[in-house]
Amino acid sequence: MSDNESVFSGLKVVDLASYIAGPAATTILSDFGATVIKVEPPTGGDPYRHFYATPPNPICEHNYAWQLTNRNKRSIALDLKHPEAAAILERLVKWADVLVTNFPPKVKVGLGLSYEQIAPLNPRLVYADITGYGSLGPEADKPGFDITAYWARTGLMQVTHDEGSPPTLPIPGIGDHATASTLYSAIVTGLYRREKTGKGSHVTTSLIAEGAWAAAAWIEGGLNGAKFYSQHNRKNPPNALLNPYRTSDGRWILLVAAQEKDWGGFIKTMGLQDLLQDPRFADGKSRIAHAADLVEILDPIFAGKPLAFWKRTLDDGRVIFGVVQIAEEIINDPQMLANGILTPIDDPAVKAKFTVNSPIQLADVPKVKPRPAPALGQHSAEILHELGFSGAEVAALILGSAVAT
């Protein structure tokens, strides 16, 4: 493998998906060298192009969301409903190794994009299909977003806020990016199968399946008849040693000293050795029964010192905890920088010096350097020529509005 090659150099991918989950999966492929053609409608393009300007997303003059999810790709603006689009789509399918789509089942059939319609054109194609609620059942054609199908439907949203407070909006795309990694894994599995059999395949996942997998530890408990605790109440939690606490400067620490072996080291670090004689906290069962009492003891102690003090103290005492970081800390996190989670991007078209890396790494294989995400239809003519259309045919397709540049 030369310096200019990566794992998927030479792999050809058609991205016929919108928003986040499907396109993010092809971004991971592109990070490892795949050539990705993004197909978008000529009018407005992928709606995700405008997502960054939608509240409550952070306000910025730069389209950071589009850059993150569509770096390294080329764009063709193609009206899939236009009569002349079928010939272009056919050539794209025959060209591709992988095709990714997230249209609902009925829409796919109407556009001639279902696996059954596409597969005969390219028997080696890995057709990757992502849905909100799965491809079967009464809600197969229902539009799905990560906030509805991943967060709300699977119960994740119900258990990530405190008792008495309403559900809150998570960062957009959390479920999408998790599902993208799963779809990427499915694509790689399909490619591996093709290496063994010479045949393509239909691989799929859904936001609801990914959400159920994320919440599987408790869903599995429900399947086994487990009795669930009531919704988390910070003042009266099931376990005071697995609970957030506020510092004197208004920051939050998530304490994770919940195992029996943690108790002695924790109270020594906190200067609370007297609690060893308190029958309320004599063992794990007693501490759970008197969790509210322990919170009442710990709250003013944590509130008496700033975050910097507690970071030093808890680290020195080898107490497990996490800091609830704020935006400025996250984007300058030395641990993220050291591990390439934030990776450099050096291009005058992009304001940021770093971008968020995809989460899959091969220790001895560098990823390609991130390139700017494409403008709508930026590569339409170029792609058509590569697919074998003549100059006159390209001009006619653009004139007839099947394609835009």
Side-chain angles (χ1 to χ4, degrees):
M1 186 179 294
S2 71
D3 292 342
N4 295 324
E5 291 184 324
S6 191
V7 177
F8 291 127
S9 293
L11 188 77
K12 295 173 286 189
V13 180
V14 173
D15 180 344
L16 268 162
S18 59
Y19 280 96
I20 307 177
T26 67
T27 298
I28 303 174
L29 291 169
S30 79
D31 285 342
F32 285 107
T35 297
V36 181
I37 293 176
K38 182 162 185 65
V39 181
E40 304 178 70
T43 304
D46 182 342
Y48 194 57
R49 284 185 177 274
H50 314 287
F51 184 78
Y52 80 106
T54 305
N57 291 310
I59 300 168
C60 186
E61 60 181 307
H62 299 281
N63 196 341
Y64 53 87
W66 182 254
Q67 172 61 29
L68 170 66
T69 310
N70 290 284
R71 60 176 179 249
N72 309 333
K73 302 178 186 179
R74 296 189 295 162
S75 168
I76 179 172
L78 175 63
D79 183 359
L80 293 172
K81 296 179 181 179
H82 195 285
E84 294 180 334
I88 301 172
L89 181 61
E90 180 176 337
R91 294 201 196 186
L92 281 169
V93 170
K94 290 179 177 178
W95 169 85
D97 295 295
V98 177
L99 184 146
V100 176
T101 180
N102 67 343
F103 290 114
K106 286 183 180 179
V107 175
K108 283 199 292 279
V109 172
L111 293 173
L113 276 173
S114 70
Y115 177 69
E116 292 73 20
Q117 293 165 305
I118 290 290
L121 298 174
N122 184 350
R124 288 176 54 81
L125 181 72
V126 175
Y127 179 99
D129 185 12
I130 188 167
T131 61
Y133 297 95
S135 58
L136 302 173
E139 296 177 72
D141 287 293
K142 184 176 181 179
F145 293 88
D146 85 325
I147 197 169
T148 55
Y150 177 95
W151 279 103
R153 187 61 171 267
T154 64
L156 284 167
M157 187 173 285
Q158 174 66 12
V159 298
T160 50
H161 64 99
D162 260 16
E163 182 180 78
S165 65
T168 190
L169 296 176
I171 295 174
I174 292 176
D176 285 310
H177 279 107
T179 307
S181 296
T182 294
L183 187 64
Y184 167 83
S185 301
I187 291 168
V188 173
T189 303
L191 290 170
Y192 178 72
R193 177 177 181 262
R194 190 178 76 172
E195 285 297 305
K196 298 183 71 173
T197 67
K199 297 179 180 179
S201 57
H202 181 186
V203 302
T204 185
T205 189
S206 65
L207 293 169
I208 193 173
E210 187 70 28
W213 185 242
W218 284 11
I219 293 177
E220 190 78 8
L223 292 170
N224 284 273
K227 181 181 179 181
F228 285 80
Y229 288 97
S230 59
Q231 198 167 7
H232 190 82
N233 180 333
R234 200 196 70 77
K235 288 288 188 180
N236 187 19
N239 192 332
L241 302 179
L242 183 61
N243 200 44
Y245 291 92
R246 197 170 193 177
T247 65
S248 65
D249 48 353
R251 299 297 303 279
W252 287 94
I253 286 175
L254 180 61
L255 184 63
V256 188
Q259 299 183 67
E260 184 68 33
K261 65 181 181 65
D262 299 325
W263 175 244
F266 172 68
I267 59 172
K268 180 180 179 182
T269 299
M270 300 295 291
L272 293 172
Q273 288 90 333
D274 289 350
L275 295 186
L276 287 173
Q277 312 306 320
D278 193 320
R280 295 175 299 172
F281 313 122
D283 54 35
K285 187 175 180 180
S286 299
R287 289 192 289 276
I288 289 172
H290 297 280
D293 295 338
L294 188 51
V295 171
E296 192 171 344
I297 293 170
L298 294 176
D299 260 348
I301 296 175
F302 277 110
K305 298 289 185 181
L307 176 63
F309 171 87
W310 288 117
K311 288 171 69 173
R312 291 192 305 271
T313 301
L314 296 177
D315 276 336
D316 289 345
R318 301 185 64 81
V319 175
I320 301 173
F321 72 101
V323 175
V324 181
Q325 294 206 119
I326 58 176
E328 184 178 355
E329 293 167 334
I330 296 165
I331 63 175
N332 293 290
D333 190 321
Q335 196 67 18
M336 292 194 189
L337 291 166
N339 287 279
I341 298 167
L342 303 178
T343 190
I345 180 167
D346 183 15
D347 193 287
V350 180
K351 180 184 179 181
K353 294 180 180 178
F354 291 88
T355 187
V356 181
N357 208 343
S358 51
I360 297 167
Q361 308 289 339
L362 274 70
D364 58 344
V365 179
K367 293 181 178 178
V368 302
K369 293 181 179 179
R371 300 188 300 275
L376 177 60
Q378 180 179 343
H379 307 96
S380 292
E382 174 185 307
I383 290 168
L384 291 173
H385 285 301
E386 290 177 12
L387 293 174
F389 289 94
S390 68
E393 288 173 324
V394 171
L397 288 167
I398 294 171
L399 184 63
S401 300
V403 176
T405 56

